[in-house]
Amino acid sequence: MSRKILLILGPNLNMVGLREKNVYGEETAETINEDIRRWAEELGMDIEIYQSNCEGEIISKIHSALGTKDGIIINAGAYTHYSYAIRDAIACVPSVPTIEVHMSNVHARDEFRHKTVIGGVCKGQISGFGKFSYRLALYALNDIL
Ligand code: DQA
């Protein structure tokens, strides 16, 4: 059976292609998602892509992965840096390995982005490779699942 992956995209990630093009590039979220679907398919994975700008919705989505998904990839956007609630939600589903992803290199940017409050409950982090950060996260899950 193919492994079920949940990709969660947090606040403002629907605006990629329009927002801060110097940081996130000009390619739209839609075409990036098409690439991600293709990459997942190539690895024999069944992927659901979920985007929300709301903390509570992201938390409920993480909970819903329990017993229904094999792995989570999350780009929590700015919530990465201060949402203890999202951290606790990830800690609620330890049987579902979670990979933290960022398109930009958060360590090369503003000081407040250097800190991740979710990193400690994730399997690992990938940061700085644009849309390919998502592909690397798929490879990571492919390896550990
Ligand atoms: C981001 C980095 C965050 O600091 C920022 O708030 C985002 C996107 C990234 O993918 O590089 O919204 O997670």
Side-chain angles (χ1 to χ4, degrees), residues 27-42:
E27 192 175 345
T28 64
E30 285 73 24
T31 66
I32 291 174
N33 287 353
E34 280 169 24
D35 281 342
I36 296 169
R37 286 199 184 87
R38 197 183 67 251
W39 295 330
E41 200 179 309
E42 283 166 7

Side-chain angles (χ1 to χ4, degrees), residues 13-98:
L13 290 164
N14 55 314
M15 298 299 282
V16 166
L18 298 171
R19 71 181 287 211
E20 298 175 273
K21 292 183 186 177
N22 56 320
V23 178
Y24 302 107
E26 301 211 345
E27 192 175 345
T28 64
E30 285 73 24
T31 66
I32 291 174
N33 287 353
E34 280 169 24
D35 281 342
I36 296 169
R37 286 199 184 87
R38 197 183 67 251
W39 295 330
E41 200 179 309
E42 283 166 7
L43 292 170
M45 292 167 155
D46 175 358
I47 195 165
E48 174 187 352
I49 302 179
Y50 176 82
Q51 195 276 327
S52 173
N53 295 315
C54 304
E55 189 177 26
E57 288 178 1
I58 292 169
I59 291 164
S60 296
K61 197 67 187 175
I62 293 167
H63 295 165
S64 79
L66 198 60
T68 66
K69 303 290 183 188
D70 299 305
I72 297 175
I73 297 168
I74 184 165
N75 184 346
Y79 284 140
T80 304
H81 313 301
Y82 67 92
S83 176
Y84 299 119
I86 289 179
R87 178 198 165 96
D88 285 353
I90 295 168
C92 284
V93 298
S95 57
V96 191
T98 298

Side-chain angles (χ1 to χ4, degrees), residues 11-13 19 23-24 75-81 101-106 109 112-113 127 134:
N12 303 306
L13 290 164
R19 71 181 287 211
V23 178
Y24 302 107
N75 184 346
Y79 284 140
T80 304
H81 313 301
V101 165
H102 302 286
M103 294 181 74
S104 64
N105 177 356
V106 287
R109 298 181 63 199
F112 74 87
R113 297 183 205 274
S127 174
Y134 299 112

Side-chain angles (χ1 to χ4, degrees), residues 35 118 121 141:
D35 281 342
I118 69 171
V121 291
L141 282 179

